[in-house]
Amino acid sequence: MIEIQGLCKHFDDFHALEDIHMTMERGKVYGLIGQSGSGKSTLLRCINGLTTYEKGSLKVDGVEVSSLRGREAREFRRGIGMIFQQFSLLGRLNVRENIALPMKCWKWDKKAMERRVDELLEMVQLPDKGKALPRELSGGQKQRVAIARALAMNPKILLCDEATSALDPNIAETIMDLLSDINRSLGITIIVVTHQLSILKASCEQVYLLEKGRLAAQGDITSLFSQPPEALRRLMGKEQEVDASWEEGTVLRLLPTPEQAKKPILSRMARELGEDFSVLRADREQYRHGAVTYLLIQVPQKILPAVENWLREQNIAWAAEPRQQEKREEEAV
Ligand code: ADP
Ligand code: MG
């Protein structure tokens, strides 16, 4: 369990993290997102004790990380694995030697070390690559080696800092599948830092969004993305904005349950209300724990009350979309 309360991290007078509060339970997969420079890597470094913090508390399994010194600190860090975008393998060492590095550091006996390396190679599905050098591997294979090395000491927590950002999307997906398997079979808590929202959606249960060092949004992934708060909309950027002519009414986001989504909601609504609706977007997104469907429709102002009534009667959840274009125009003035 990771408990963060009022955490602040400053570099001189620059506030890299300000008043962060988070609770992460053991064995779950958490997403940490935010623009470049929002403090994600800094937060990971606070969690694994590689950097200190000025204010607040950060406890891992009840232990205040900043209070650890010397051997205690090293043992604590042994319990936290980390993987990076650039893999960080040693080029002159082969795959087995790279994976064995942490065990060597902790002076494991040679036989135990070889056994563990075999196990790990099996786990990351590279059983016959032991003798290869990093330069002979593809990006995805390199990241598998880095994962094996990160898991060598049986960590309780695995931190992934943009671990799939340098990979092709389909390779990135296989790496995330591997991490999901590892999470399920070993019960390791995983924190995924990424700017790839598809990766996030497929792998995480809970998400924290940082903006300029502050926690700007948080929640479970399906509710966050089905009704994105302002900060998440800003991160998703223009591609997520709907192209609606706002003078002509309100844009509603319908959020049917999976059962409701199987039925022809829109055509029924149009027939029963005797009105036509423009569909601006409809999508079904796959998440780790199921799919979410949403429909964006444009509703003429004069029939808005009738539509809302109908949705209420049918027990279909909805929300009005904020008027992004108007807001941008205001900002521009
Ligand atoms: P992210 O991982 O979200 O891109 P970082 O955590 O790396 O962001 O950085 C957050 C902010 O803190 C950035 O503005 C960065 O320039 C600054 N920063 C990070 N490390 C240092 C450091 N060692 N000294 C000074 N500023 C730093
Ligand atoms: Mg970073």
Side-chain angles (χ1 to χ4, degrees):
M1 169 109 132
I2 304 172
E3 287 169 286
I4 304 178
Q5 285 179 340
L7 187 79
C8 299
K9 166 75 191 171
H10 301 166
F11 295 106
D12 298 321
D13 49 8
F14 176 74
H15 295 196
L17 294 173
E18 193 64 27
D19 197 28
I20 303 290
H21 293 259
M22 296 181 180
T23 306
M24 301 186 184
E25 287 166 36
R26 178 178 283 225
K28 287 197 171 179
V29 183
Y30 291 88
L32 183 57
I33 54 176
Q35 309 255 347
S36 168
S38 58
K40 306 178 297 294
S41 298
T42 305
L43 182 60
L44 293 189
R45 292 169 64 80
C46 288
I47 292 174
N48 71 5
L50 280 177
T51 189
T52 55
Y53 37 92
E54 278 69 39
K55 263 203 314 208
S57 163
L58 195 168
K59 288 184 180 165
V60 176
D61 292 335
V63 177
E64 187 69 46
V65 176
S66 65
S67 72
L68 299 171
R69 299 281 179 277
R71 185 173 175 92
E72 259 184 350
R74 285 202 305 281
E75 278 177 5
F76 169 77
R77 278 205 292 275
R78 185 175 61 184
I80 302 186
M82 187 144 180
I83 54 174
F84 307 90
Q85 177 169 358
Q86 64 278 19
F87 320 122
S88 306
L89 301 178
L90 293 189
R92 62 190 158 76
L93 301 184
N94 71 25
V95 165
R96 293 192 73 90
E97 291 162 337
N98 264 292
I99 296 175
L101 275 175
M103 297 175 250
K104 241 181 160 169
C105 226
W106 286 91
K107 305 201 168 31
W108 277 37
D109 144 279
K110 190 156 171 56
K111 265 215 182 101
M113 201 152 77
E114 293 301 326
R115 262 203 314 273
R116 182 71 180 140
V117 171
D118 287 336
E119 255 173 46
L120 290 161
L121 281 172
E122 205 60 52
M123 196 186 298
V124 300
Q125 296 145 21
L126 292 176
D128 47 5
K129 290 287 181 198
K131 292 280 187 291
L133 288 170
R135 65 166 177 273
E136 296 160 346
L137 303 177
S138 69
Q141 290 172 331
K142 282 184 209 162
Q143 196 56 291
R144 285 172 190 271
V145 176
I147 291 171
R149 186 183 55 189
L151 296 178
M153 307 304 287
N154 281 310
K156 293 179 290 189
I157 301 172
L158 181 63
L159 308 177
C160 310
D161 198 350
E162 299 281 7
T164 57
S165 300
L167 305 174
D168 291 340
N170 56 333
I171 303 292
E173 214 171 283
T174 63
I175 293 293
M176 290 316 296
D177 288 345
L178 174 64
L179 291 175
S180 289
D181 286 347
I182 287 167
N183 162 255
R184 271 188 280 259
S185 57
L186 304 179
I188 298 180
T189 311
I190 299 185
I191 305 180
V192 176
V193 166
T194 183
H195 67 272
Q196 295 161 300
L197 297 178
S198 58
I199 290 287
L200 188 81
K201 288 174 184 172
S203 59
C204 300
E205 297 158 72
Q206 294 283 319
V207 180
Y208 289 101
L209 194 168
L210 292 181
E211 207 175 54
K212 297 187 182 135
R214 289 182 175 272
L215 193 57
Q218 67 183 86
D220 87 85
I221 181 112
T222 42
S223 24
L224 262 191
F225 278 89
S226 41
Q227 258 174 288
E230 270 305 305
L232 182 55
R233 286 175 193 274
R234 278 194 290 277
L235 183 67
M236 292 192 292
K238 281 190 191 156
E239 61 175 296
Q240 291 297 319
E241 292 187 8
V242 285
D243 188 17
S245 53
W246 298 95
E247 316 81 62
E248 285 170 27
T250 300
V251 175
L252 293 189
R253 179 181 289 252
L254 312 193
L255 296 160
T257 61
E259 270 315 301
Q260 292 169 333
K262 287 183 195 151
K263 308 210 170 90
I265 301 172
L266 272 190
S267 52
R268 265 193 55 212
M269 183 165 83
R271 200 166 52 241
E272 290 179 20
L273 296 179
E275 290 283 348
D276 293 325
F277 301 95
S278 315
V279 178
L280 301 172
R281 183 175 302 158
D283 213 346
R284 184 175 182 279
E285 293 183 320
Q286 192 60 46
Y287 291 87
R288 184 173 159 120
H289 294 300
V292 170
T293 304
Y294 70 86
L295 291 162
L296 291 184
I297 58 168
Q298 183 141 22
V299 179
Q301 214 58 35
K302 65 176 186 346
I303 61 159
L304 186 60
V307 169
E308 291 186 324
N309 243 340
W310 191 87
L311 291 169
R312 211 172 285 123
E313 278 167 21
Q314 307 294 319
N315 227 350
I316 294 170
W318 83 92
E321 285 288 287
R323 302 184 160 211
Q324 291 137 337
Q325 286 171 337
E326 246 176 32
K327 221 174 350 178
R328 263 216 311 285
E329 279 156 20
E330 275 168 23
E331 280 164 10
V333 173

